[in-house]
Amino acid sequence: MRLFQPLLLSLALLSPAAFAEPYQVELILFQQSGDAVFASRPAPDDWAKGAQPPGPDSSRPTAMDAQVAKLKQNEGFQVLMHKAWRQEIDANPVKISLSEGAQRDGHFPVEGTVTLSQQRFVNTQTDFWINQFGQDGLLAASQHMVQEASLKNSVLTYLDHPSLGMLIKVTPLNARPASAPPPGMEDEAPTGPDTPQQPAPAAPADGGFEAPPQSQPEQQ
């Protein structure tokens, strides 16, 4: 039996959890122009389904401020939530709860969960409630957005809804820089003092994001 113990230990270290990678996860949830589309029922009391928010040490500086500014420039769009945090992601799904605003009647104005897992891409499911409260402070109505997507590393992804929208991006924090090519394999290019220098491309004035067009998918 002792002969098999090192083998069993090696197999345990090769489990999916052993290959968890750190990512920066960032999302922007916003209200689109036009009338709000409400769900058939308000948000349930167990909207988080046991999920916990990111730890205080997981907070990260936001990197999509240009997209937020672009949204605010478009009349009728309202940014409801903008958060960024560090998250370990592997093959085992992890569910994170997020909220915004002061809690009333057991609910936040914006509340929901993000589920993440690592396969070929990072798979995500978002489940958010945008709540409205009556004069008595009780929850009166909710918009509900549920979407699934496969996220490519460092690629901004847009998730749609009849009256809401979300921008989400996952960025590896341990990405290795590209290594230099072997000697003799560099791209051939003219060099010398007489070689004209090409100007660097200018950064897009709009932050690289155009406000999404309104669409009418089926209501969640």
Side-chain angles (χ1 to χ4, degrees):
M1 181 62 184
R2 292 181 179 178
L3 295 177
F4 289 98
Q5 288 179 349
L7 176 60
L8 294 175
L9 178 60
S10 298
L11 292 176
L13 293 175
L14 291 175
S15 64
F19 295 100
E21 296 186 13
Y23 285 84
Q24 170 155 327
V25 183
E26 185 168 1
L27 65 81
I28 302 168
L29 178 63
F30 58 93
Q31 183 80 45
Q32 298 195 46
S33 59
D35 296 332
V37 177
F38 291 98
S40 58
R41 61 182 178 86
D45 292 339
D46 63 341
W47 59 269
K49 299 180 176 66
Q52 297 297 316
D57 296 336
S58 300
S59 179
R60 297 275 300 177
T62 56
M64 294 173 10
D65 297 337
Q67 286 80 1
V68 169
K70 182 66 175 180
L71 284 168
K72 291 180 177 179
Q73 291 173 4
N74 286 270
E75 184 177 356
F77 286 78
Q78 179 187 358
V79 175
L80 304 173
M81 174 184 286
H82 182 199
K83 292 186 179 294
W85 71 97
R86 175 192 173 99
Q87 184 66 53
E88 302 281 339
I89 304 176
D90 57 30
N92 299 314
V94 58
K95 181 176 290 186
I96 300 297
S97 66
L98 300 172
S99 61
E100 193 71 56
Q103 188 177 28
R104 289 190 292 173
D105 192 25
H107 291 272
F108 298 91
V110 182
E111 57 192 16
T113 61
V114 179
T115 303
L116 299 159
S117 63
Q118 173 74 66
Q119 300 295 332
R120 181 181 178 187
F121 302 111
V122 174
N123 297 324
T124 183
Q125 181 185 63
T126 61
D127 188 346
F128 277 85
W129 300 87
I130 314 304
N131 300 318
Q132 289 191 359
F133 300 89
Q135 295 292 335
D136 55 4
L138 300 178
L139 180 62
S142 304
Q143 299 178 74
H144 189 203
M145 179 179 183
V146 179
Q147 290 286 359
E148 295 182 353
S150 293
L151 309 176
K152 295 182 179 180
N153 289 350
S154 305
V155 175
L156 188 63
T157 300
Y158 170 56
L159 306 180
D160 200 12
H161 177 273
S163 57
L164 301 168
M166 179 180 290
L167 297 169
I168 185 169
K169 180 192 286 189
V170 293
T171 304
L173 294 178
N174 287 348
R176 296 180 180 178
S179 58
M185 298 297 293
E186 297 88 350
D187 292 337
E188 294 184 1
T191 58
D194 297 330
T195 303
Q197 298 296 321
Q198 297 295 327
D206 60 2
F209 166 69
E210 292 294 338
Q214 296 188 43
S215 59
Q216 297 295 330
E218 296 182 1
Q219 180 180 351
Q220 301 291 333

